[in-house]
Amino acid sequence: MEEIFASVNRKRLTLKRGKERVVANRHPWIFGGAIASEGGPADAAIGDLLDPDGNRVASGFYSPRSEIRLRALTFDDEELTADLIGARVTSAIARRRSLLNDRTNAIRLINAEGDELSGLVLDLYNDVVVGEVGNAGIERIKPMLLEIIRRELRPRFVYLNNDLPARRLEQLPTEPEAIGEGTPATTILENGLRFEVNPAAGQKTGFFLDQRENRALARELSAGKSVLNLFSYTGAFGVYAAAGGATFVGNVDGSDIAIDQARRNHDLNGSTNIAQFMVADAFAHVRKLAAANEHFGLIICDPPAFAKRRVEVDRAARGYKDVNLYAMRLLDSRGVMLTFSCSGHMSLDLFQKVIFAAALDAGRRISILGRLTAAPDHPVSLYCPEGEYLKGFLLQVHE
Ligand code: SAH
């Protein structure tokens, strides 16, 4: 493994003259357009970035087929070694230990650029570690990674999804890897509530840990309220709402598998009696509820990323506006709403404009009580603000 870091095995990428400043801001993504020439072995996983005079200015993971040719991990004189990467992994885990306690045993351990480990996402679900390895560099240091995971966390099971599109681009295997006893299914504890997680079946890494604090907020806001949980997936927001004293929780999701999971999670927490489970298109469902003059004290709207690519932002904005507009019409007098966008390409500014347009058309007087983001185990590097995908608002109607 060490040998992939040896200088003879590294790609040497020389910057175009005039592009020297691409490293000035320490942004980890170095695009192919800034590179004048490439030397060194074709199958290199590690690359050095040289200025036009041949001085090394950065080192990182090399991807011959990605637009992002180099994911810089170190700059200037800092040597890129296996030990340095290992130390970053250990440090990322150590920084999160305080989040684990007898009420919460599921956290994100490593958040790619947010932990200076571009291409690596690791989540802990109780006794199971779930990972996404997105580039050839991480793939090659996997033995070291697994060793650190074993030493630091002693998991029963490690499950690597291997389903990122980037892996296909890099011609890495796309079969999942399951290492351990039994199955990767487990039950987690989050803020004292229990959830089933099956990494082999779920979306993304199985359970959206980034919403943990926003779910806790939903619990605080739910006492005595009738709650609508749109795009409910695992039903997690609904379970929190019920735990917070909601009188009714309506979970709505287009997937019957998700709705079954939501039902089991309500069961696990003893709140099936006040909950409803609807397999329905959320866009159609909010219209139906509005036509029936239904009202809710708290609405959660957490759709999937409508804009996966920049060109889809306009269409996504229309989708967010539509579902939020009808949801706003369903709010009780002084009702509150937690509304989210997890599209990386939709900025907070644009999302606020969309919410404004929805309120205007819904004819409701609405204020922002709070701005919401991902939980702190999903850090965003100041040097790579693209990592900030989840944004949301806590809204309230006045009248
Ligand atoms: N709120 C969830 C995460 C939502 S993920 C949580 O806290 O974990 C997005 C969910 O939206 C998925 O479960 C998907 O099945 C569902 N979905 C996507 N399009 C939908 C639609 N048009 N109507 C209803 N559900 C939809």
Side-chain angles (χ1 to χ4, degrees):
M1 192 192 66
E2 300 284 342
E3 65 273 18
I4 70 161
F5 292 89
S7 49
V8 291
N9 294 326
R10 291 185 184 207
K11 204 78 185 171
R12 284 179 305 282
L13 309 172
T14 304
L15 278 172
K16 287 181 180 159
R17 213 164 270 287
K19 291 285 184 188
E20 295 87 341
R21 61 189 165 71
V22 298
V23 287
N25 290 336
R26 298 287 191 263
H27 198 291
W29 299 348
I30 310 294
F31 288 86
I35 311 282
S37 64
E38 300 193 7
D43 64 345
I46 301 294
D48 285 333
L49 186 68
L50 312 174
D51 68 14
D53 301 321
N55 305 306
R56 191 185 65 199
V57 290
S59 301
F61 295 130
Y62 169 69
S63 299
R65 288 172 201 86
S66 169
E67 301 250 327
I68 303 174
R69 200 54 49 85
L70 189 79
R71 293 170 189 273
L73 298 166
T74 62
F75 293 90
D76 298 332
D77 296 334
E78 194 175 13
E79 277 290 340
L80 178 57
T81 61
D83 284 350
L84 176 134
I85 296 176
R88 285 189 185 175
V89 172
T90 312
S91 163
I93 296 172
R95 287 197 298 275
R96 286 156 166 91
R97 288 259 184 223
S98 62
L99 293 174
L100 294 171
N101 52 49
D102 58 2
R103 292 170 60 76
T104 297
N105 62 17
I107 56 168
R108 173 145 298 184
L109 297 166
I110 296 183
N111 196 42
E113 280 83 0
D115 289 295
E116 296 181 279
L117 290 162
S118 195
L120 180 62
V121 170
L122 277 189
D123 289 335
L124 176 69
Y125 295 108
N126 182 13
D127 52 352
V128 176
V129 171
V130 177
E132 287 278 14
V133 171
N135 65 47
I138 308 260
E139 184 78 11
R140 305 268 274 273
I141 59 165
K142 217 160 56 185
M144 175 182 80
L145 194 61
L146 291 171
E147 172 71 37
I148 297 174
I149 291 170
R150 265 182 223 119
R151 188 185 70 216
E152 297 290 325
L153 303 156
R154 309 209 165 279
R156 173 179 62 81
F157 211 99
V158 179
Y159 188 82
L160 303 175
N161 281 315
N162 294 344
D163 61 352
L164 290 180
R167 288 185 67 91
R168 210 155 302 130
L169 194 69
E170 299 218 4
Q171 298 178 349
L172 298 170
T174 52
E175 282 298 299
E177 269 167 273
I179 309 153
E181 310 253 315
T183 76
T186 190
T187 301
I188 62 162
L189 255 185
E190 189 188 79
N191 290 317
L193 298 169
R194 297 172 71 212
F195 300 93
E196 242 182 40
V197 176
N198 187 355
Q203 310 177 6
K204 250 174 111 180
T205 46
F207 187 84
F208 290 102
L209 296 168
D210 52 359
Q211 291 282 27
R212 184 174 53 250
E213 296 204 330
N214 300 325
R215 288 193 276 264
L217 177 61
R219 173 161 63 185
E220 282 171 32
L221 295 169
S222 290
K225 291 197 180 122
S226 177
V227 176
L228 178 63
N229 182 19
L230 297 169
F231 307 95
S232 57
Y233 187 36
T234 58
F237 272 107
V239 167
Y240 272 75
T247 52
F248 168 83
V249 178
N251 295 293
V252 181
D253 199 284
S255 149
D256 50 352
I257 298 171
I259 284 295
D260 283 347
Q261 213 175 332
R263 192 179 280 115
R264 285 199 301 278
N265 283 329
H266 275 274
D267 257 345
L268 270 178
N269 295 281
S271 55
T272 319
N273 55 332
I274 59 142
Q276 192 187 57
F277 305 92
M278 295 281 300
V279 180
D281 173 55
F283 293 85
H285 194 69
V286 285
R287 283 174 166 77
K288 219 161 90 186
L289 292 170
N293 203 24
E294 297 269 359
H295 285 93
F296 300 89
L298 169 65
I299 298 179
I300 297 123
C301 182
D302 181 27
F306 290 145
K308 293 224 166 66
R309 297 180 303 148
R310 197 174 298 278
V311 294
E312 294 168 344
V313 167
D314 279 354
R315 199 174 50 88
R318 286 195 293 277
Y320 287 113
K321 181 186 163 190
D322 186 82
V323 70
N324 277 281
L325 189 167
Y326 281 92
M328 285 169 178
R329 288 194 174 149
L330 298 174
L331 284 169
D332 271 338
S333 160
R334 297 186 194 160
V336 288
M337 179 160 163
L338 293 169
T339 187
F340 300 96
S341 162
C342 59
S343 300
H345 295 296
M346 167 143 316
S347 66
L348 182 68
D349 264 10
L350 177 57
F351 189 45
Q352 183 169 332
K353 288 192 181 110
V354 168
I355 296 305
F356 150 74
L360 193 65
D361 284 9
R364 307 287 318 247
R365 284 159 44 222
I366 292 181
S367 291
I368 298 171
L369 303 192
R371 292 185 167 75
L372 311 169
T373 185
D377 46 337
H378 297 65
V380 177
S381 167
L382 275 175
Y383 304 94
C384 187
E386 291 86 346
E388 186 162 19
Y389 58 94
L390 182 66
K391 55 213 68 93
F393 294 105
L394 168 60
L395 305 172
Q396 184 169 36
V397 248
H398 290 195
E399 73 274 19

